[in-house]
Amino acid sequence: TSPDMTYQKEDGVLVGGVREDTPAQHCGLQKGDLITALDGKPVRTLEDYATLLFAHKPGDEVLITIRRGEQVLELTARLAGKIGEN
């Protein structure tokens, strides 16, 4: 995903874009979703998000809690390696 770097609130990370054929796209994450937790741990800032995400390795499943409009959804993604990695 690409975070929306202009989003200044500390209530989550706003998804600015989702690359095609990635775990984020496959689990249903969409541009405009607000990521509020990973594996039940709160995500308030981009730093929170990065810390929690990078604690995982490729192949791990991650529970992503998002707010999409008025809905709160939980999505599960299986992490892949870096783009271009085999």
Side-chain angles (χ1 to χ4, degrees):
T1 62
S2 301
D4 181 338
M5 301 302 279
T6 64
Y7 190 75
Q8 297 298 314
K9 296 180 183 177
E10 291 192 0
D11 61 349
V13 171
L14 186 64
V15 177
V18 178
R19 290 186 192 104
E20 287 189 36
D21 200 28
T22 61
Q25 182 191 39
H26 294 298
C27 79
L29 206 56
Q30 297 177 8
K31 179 179 179 177
D33 288 344
L34 186 69
I35 299 171
T36 59
L38 289 179
D39 288 334
K41 296 177 183 154
V43 170
R44 292 186 182 92
T45 65
L46 190 53
E47 184 178 354
D48 292 343
Y49 176 72
T51 298
L52 292 169
L53 186 62
F54 291 124
H56 292 279
K57 60 184 185 297
D60 286 351
E61 280 195 353
V62 179
L63 179 66
I64 306 166
T65 305
I66 64 164
R67 198 168 64 225
R68 182 179 292 157
E70 298 298 316
Q71 294 182 313
V72 174
L73 305 170
E74 290 187 337
L75 310 172
T76 301
R78 182 172 303 279
L79 299 180
K82 294 179 184 174
I83 294 175
E85 251 183 19
N86 292 328

